Each structure stands twice: as C-alpha cells, then as structure tokens.
Amino acid sequence: MAEPVVRIPDAKVALSTASVYPESTATAFEIAARLGYDGVEVMVWTDPVSQDIEALRRLSDYHRIPILAVHAPCLLITQRVWSTDPWVKLQRARAAAEKLGASTVVVHPPFRWQRQYARDFVQGIWRMAGETDVRFAVENMYPWRYRDREMLAYAPDWDVTKDDYRHFTVDLSHTATARTDAMQMIDRMGDRLGHVHLADGGGSGKDEHLVPGRGTQPCAELLDRLAVNGFDGHVVIEVNTRRAMSSAEREADLAEALAFARLHLASAARVPRS
C-alpha cells in the first residue's frame, strides 16, 4: 500500500530586504544567510546599497545568498530613486535583475496621478516583458482608507487581475488591507501567478505586513495550494519588524516566518514508495 510522503515544490523562500527595516540592506543579506533562506528580494529604496548593483553583487557573493528578485522603486518615498521617470525606473530594475541573476522584477501599478504612465502601463509592461527573460510580476495593491473615506490611489486598478498582465505578484498583507478574498484572487491569477509576498494582516486600514499566521489571511491555505499545484516561482517573506525591541527579536520573527513557509509548502501526497 502507498504511504504518505512529503513532497516539497521547487519554490524558493526568500527574504525581502524590506523585512529588516530600519536595519540596512546589507543586514538583510547577513540575516537571510544565517537563518537559511534560499535567497533575497532586494527592495530598491533610499538605502544607497539597494541602488548599487556592484555592492549588491558583493553582498550576494560574500554571504553566498542569491538575489532572486528585484522590487522596483515604486513607493512614495522612492519617487526620486533611479530617476523620476517611472519607465526609466523599470528599465534600471530590469537591468539590475539581469546583471544580478534575478528572475523577477516586482512592480506596483501606477499611482492615479501618474496619468500618462497609468494610461500606457499595461501595454508598456507587456512590451518590456517581451524584451527580456526576466518576469515583470505586477503586484496587487489596495484602496487607501481614512476613517470612513476611501480613495482609489492606483490605476488602472489596485486589483491587478482586472487587467491583462503576463505575470502577477500576490501580496497577502495587501489582500487584507483591501478586504478582498485572497484565494479568489489567486484563482483569477491562475498560472500567471509567478511571485508571492507572504505576510499577514487583520483587515484594518493599514498595510500591516504581519508575520504569517498572526492575522486573518489564508497564508497556510495559499501555500498548500501552491505546493499541490507545483508552483515554481518564489515565496518572499515581506513582513514588518519595525517594532522589534532588539535584533534577536527581529531574527526570531523572520525565523518564524521562514519556518511557517517551509512547513506549509511541504504537502502530504500519496505516492508509492520504491
């Protein structure tokens, strides 16, 4: 009789360098290597090291930790990082990914006030994706809320499944903030889901990025689904550790998140033993 064995998919578990903030990009590489992550996703932001391809290469080589993805500078605080032109930012993110051996560039949909960029965004992403082997994985966002008011800050839409992209990133903190059903969203993404930002949230108006398992999102269910479907993209731990009282507490949170991801990516499958 066949006995259950553990089957682990090809998905690698990476640490977003944003997860160590306010510590540095360099610290993220050190922590990822020490805790046994499979790689890192570099959040390109105001830390000069995150913008410097040669510095990133040296960190990757020194810690023997590969760079699996580059997150383009799409945040409000990075409006002047790598140019004020959003298309130049994406071109530089693609070049960085190609030079560093990363397979994915994560990009947010435009802010609504970036009118021309938003108007051309869907076609422009397709055009850029056709010029490289690097995946441009567009990330789901959320409405901005203040008290009883809601503002649609992203265009064409915060729900990226309403538009036609080759690859998607799903972020479970963002599904919590948007108060949308994460499992239905990944169903709509289908086989175009190429990248996961694993975090949790309680459905407040804030983008919480909790350690998975500490909120209301179906983090375990999503990972189980990925395992069953043979997902071969990257699962990136992108959590908020700003409130950690010490480096040890921050590392404990990141170790817990890694253990959660690895546990739920291991699915029981009934296959014959040889």
Side-chain angles (χ1 to χ4, degrees):
M1 178 179 291
E3 298 179 13
V5 298
V6 173
R7 180 183 60 195
I8 300 176
D10 293 333
K12 291 183 170 65
V13 182
L15 178 66
S16 168
T17 59
S19 296
V20 307
Y21 181 84
E23 298 284 356
S24 67
T25 300
T27 300
F29 278 84
E30 179 184 343
I31 292 174
R34 184 160 56 244
L35 295 181
Y37 277 84
D38 297 316
V40 300
E41 174 179 302
V42 174
M43 171 68 80
V44 180
W45 65 307
T46 55
D47 181 347
V49 171
S50 74
Q51 305 169 31
D52 186 329
I53 293 173
E54 290 308 313
L56 293 169
R57 193 196 310 277
R58 288 193 297 271
L59 284 168
S60 177
D61 291 345
Y62 179 79
H63 292 288
R64 298 182 181 180
I65 193 86
I67 297 169
L68 301 180
V70 173
H71 195 309
C74 304
L75 306 175
L76 284 173
I77 64 169
T78 60
Q79 290 184 85
R80 296 187 178 277
V81 172
W82 280 359
S83 170
T84 56
D85 183 330
W87 289 114
V88 172
K89 291 175 184 283
L90 296 191
Q91 290 165 2
R92 292 190 64 172
R94 178 185 66 193
E98 289 171 344
K99 291 176 182 177
L100 294 167
S103 64
T104 303
V105 168
V106 179
V107 57
H108 293 179
F111 292 113
R112 189 164 290 275
W113 55 84
Q114 295 174 299
R115 294 181 181 177
Q116 186 60 49
Y117 179 46
R119 190 175 299 120
D120 299 336
F121 185 69
V122 177
Q123 289 184 341
I125 290 293
W126 271 100
R127 183 181 63 252
M128 293 190 71
E131 298 169 350
T132 180
D133 291 332
V134 173
R135 292 178 174 182
F136 280 87
V138 185
E139 183 174 0
N140 63 299
M141 299 305 290
Y142 48 85
W144 290 3
R145 295 189 180 93
Y146 179 70
R147 295 182 179 175
D148 60 345
R149 296 185 179 183
E150 183 175 289
M151 183 176 81
L152 300 179
Y154 299 97
D157 205 284
W158 62 263
D159 181 352
V160 293
T161 63
K162 292 183 179 179
D163 292 287
D164 181 26
Y165 300 109
R166 183 178 293 182
H167 294 108
F168 293 110
T169 296
V170 68
D171 184 305
L172 292 189
S173 179
H174 295 174
T175 57
T177 307
R179 298 169 190 165
T180 192
D181 187 306
M183 300 307 292
Q184 289 182 8
M185 177 167 279
I186 68 164
D187 284 343
R188 294 194 299 275
M189 291 177 173
D191 60 8
R192 292 181 293 168
L193 173 60
H195 202 69
V196 175
H197 280 170
L198 185 63
D200 215 330
S204 72
K206 297 179 179 179
D207 184 16
E208 296 173 291
H209 284 275
L210 304 177
V211 171
R214 297 184 186 178
T216 61
Q217 293 304 286
C219 298
E221 183 181 353
L222 181 141
L223 292 171
D224 291 344
R225 175 86 62 85
L226 296 181
V228 168
N229 291 342
F231 179 72
D232 62 355
H234 305 319
V235 174
V236 178
I237 302 299
E238 190 183 76
V239 297
N240 183 346
T241 62
R242 278 176 282 185
R243 294 186 178 180
M245 300 300 292
S246 66
S247 296
E249 184 177 332
R250 174 172 292 108
E251 287 199 32
D253 283 347
L254 298 177
E256 179 183 332
L258 175 60
F260 184 101
R262 290 234 168 101
L263 172 66
H264 292 286
L265 281 171
S267 65
R270 287 202 169 264
V271 298
R273 287 187 181 276
S274 57

